[in-house]
Amino acid sequence: MRVLSGIKPTGNLHLGNYLGAVKQWVAMQDAIQAQGGETLYFIADLHGLTEWIAPAELSANTIEMTATIVAAGIDPDRSILFNQTRVPQHSELAWLLNNVARVGWLNRMTQFKDKAGKNREGASVGLYDYPVLMAADVLLYNTTHVPVGEDQKQHLELARDIAAKFNLDYDIDLFTPPEPMVSAEAPRIMSLRDASTKMSKSNPSEQARVNLVDDDDTIAAKFRKAKTDAEPLPDTVAALTDRPEAKNLVTIYAALADLTPDAVITQYAGQGFGTFKPALADLAVAKLGPIRDRMLRLLDDRAEVGKLLDQGAEKARALAAPTLLKAQRAMGLHV
Ligand code: ADP
Ligand code: TRP
């Protein structure tokens, strides 16, 4: 098994990114490697360019997100951790695959439609072509499994189609069709102010999200002030269905404590939020505080974090180069 996943360096990570993505990466690092597999994780800085971002912000985000990922438990000696730019084979393969992917396929991508909205003509070509670069990211390493959120499944289907068409068009068995891994354990964390929208860096209120850089008091205050209802917690998870705010807090508690929501409900059935929220605040501080502290310590020496990326990129290039060469040769490029 070869597992690969990427994240865009779009800004400070929040609890949703941690529980929904990074924590799953850490779990996979352990589980996959125990089975003799490999894990590769990268900062998708090239994908970060598809919507305008200030250059200084993009480069700072790349370093800060790397520090957060390492602080959260990705070990650069055990997983290959790098940024896309440092492995030029991603861009090179993306160009080759541009000639395999069909316009009709890209026209069906819902993320482009959502992000471009009514301004289709004004969207960057990069935003439109985003899924082909993502296919290159995955196919370059003969990745077998890709942990992603639900919204990225369509892009992986496209990567499978591109792999199959390349293999057919050039009569070669080069690319492995990747399997998306939408983990049943990866929770979807909702806003602490409005549980009908997901926790996101674009939530208008700071109170809606817990950032991984928040200090202990801020974390605790955000949970204490989280929107809830007046009822005590029920004795079944099913009874939370129509109580999205309560359900969200139980989901967060369970994910942070590595428990099932059922186990949390069993423990807190009949208790009010006057008890549950402080317990959740304490748990969150206990779990997130050490990650934040490690991250800040790593960021004391940003150049050192950059070096980790360089070392990871060197290992990634060694895996990527032979695949790119095979693709170039298969297509008749003189290399
Ligand atoms: P944001 O919504 O803050 O812009 P991104 O879309 O950049 O976050 O997502 C980065 C990663 O974090 C993706 O793997 C995504 O599935 C995960 N993620 C983002 N928000 C949440 C959330 N609220 N709950 C669970 N996972 C999330
Ligand atoms: N598109 C992914 C996202 O928005 C990030 C990403 C880029 C990615 N390349 C990837 C994820 C390759 C998995 C594999 O979350």
Side-chain angles (χ1 to χ4, degrees):
M1 269 176 108
R2 190 177 271 173
V3 170
L4 168 137
S5 195
I7 191 162
K8 280 180 294 173
T10 44
N12 272 330
L13 290 172
H14 53 75
L15 183 66
N17 302 136
Y18 173 61
L19 294 176
V22 179
K23 189 164 182 272
Q24 310 299 321
W25 291 7
V26 176
M28 233 163 267
Q29 169 179 262
D30 300 333
I32 302 298
Q33 292 186 4
Q35 300 170 34
E38 287 169 291
T39 43
L40 292 91
Y41 300 115
F42 68 97
I43 311 287
D45 49 6
L46 295 173
H47 280 106
L49 294 173
T50 58
E51 291 171 281
W52 198 87
I53 178 165
E57 196 185 332
L58 179 60
S59 57
N61 287 350
T62 300
I63 294 297
E64 286 160 18
M65 286 180 76
T66 303
T68 313
I69 289 167
V70 172
I74 296 299
D75 177 351
D77 289 329
R78 292 171 57 211
S79 290
I80 300 183
L81 177 64
F82 63 100
N83 61 317
Q84 226 175 3
T85 301
R86 284 292 206 145
V87 185
Q89 287 82 2
H90 288 246
S91 308
E92 293 183 55
L93 182 62
W95 178 256
L96 305 188
L97 300 183
N98 272 332
N99 302 289
V100 176
R102 305 287 93 187
V103 169
W105 298 357
L106 287 185
N107 283 344
R108 284 196 285 276
M109 296 295 117
T110 57
Q111 179 173 294
F112 175 75
K113 291 184 206 168
D114 291 345
K115 294 212 171 200
K118 291 202 181 73
N119 188 25
R120 227 182 125 93
E121 297 289 309
S124 71
V125 175
L127 187 66
Y128 183 70
D129 201 30
Y130 182 114
V132 177
L133 178 58
M134 183 163 163
D137 298 337
V138 172
L139 298 179
L140 203 45
Y141 301 97
N142 291 311
T143 306
T144 56
H145 295 82
V146 186
V148 280
E150 199 59 48
D151 61 323
Q152 297 297 316
K153 269 171 79 179
Q154 195 187 31
H155 290 161
L156 284 179
E157 271 311 312
L158 183 90
R160 294 174 64 86
D161 290 343
I162 292 175
K165 183 163 162 60
F166 186 102
N167 289 346
L168 188 73
D169 285 358
Y170 295 102
D171 194 18
I172 188 173
D173 188 16
L174 180 57
F175 293 124
T176 314
E179 293 289 343
M181 279 176 109
V182 180
S183 160
E185 280 112 71
R188 194 169 147 81
I189 306 301
M190 309 311 282
S191 153
L192 298 182
R193 295 270 96 217
D194 170 7
S196 67
T197 60
K198 73 164 195 152
M199 183 178 289
S200 166
K201 67 179 158 299
S202 44
N203 298 135
S205 161
E206 262 297 306
Q207 301 304 318
R209 115 191 111 245
V210 171
N211 300 306
L212 294 186
V213 292
D214 285 348
D215 61 31
D216 289 353
D217 290 346
T218 308
I219 298 172
K222 284 179 178 173
F223 280 114
R224 277 199 308 270
K225 290 188 205 138
K227 193 174 161 212
T228 41
D229 52 41
E231 303 293 313
L233 283 168
D235 51 13
T236 64
V237 171
L240 287 170
T241 310
D242 297 324
R243 298 173 62 189
E245 278 82 21
K247 185 172 180 204
N248 189 35
L249 295 187
V250 170
T251 303
I252 294 173
Y253 190 107
L256 285 171
D258 289 313
L259 292 171
T260 62
D262 281 316
V264 177
I265 282 294
T266 306
Q267 198 179 335
Y268 286 97
Q271 312 242 26
F273 285 102
T275 309
F276 186 67
K277 279 192 194 172
L280 175 56
D282 287 349
L283 174 67
V285 167
K287 294 288 180 176
L288 303 178
I291 296 176
R292 177 203 56 229
D293 293 344
R294 275 196 294 276
M295 174 191 71
L296 293 176
R297 238 176 292 129
L298 285 163
L299 288 175
D300 279 343
D301 191 347
R302 289 179 175 243
E304 202 54 41
V305 178
K307 260 190 226 153
L308 290 179
L309 288 177
D310 291 348
Q311 288 159 3
E314 198 178 322
K315 293 183 231 167
R317 285 194 298 268
L319 294 176
T323 316
L324 177 68
L325 194 62
K326 283 183 200 150
Q328 289 167 324
R329 292 210 167 117
M331 294 175 105
L333 294 164
H334 198 80
V335 284

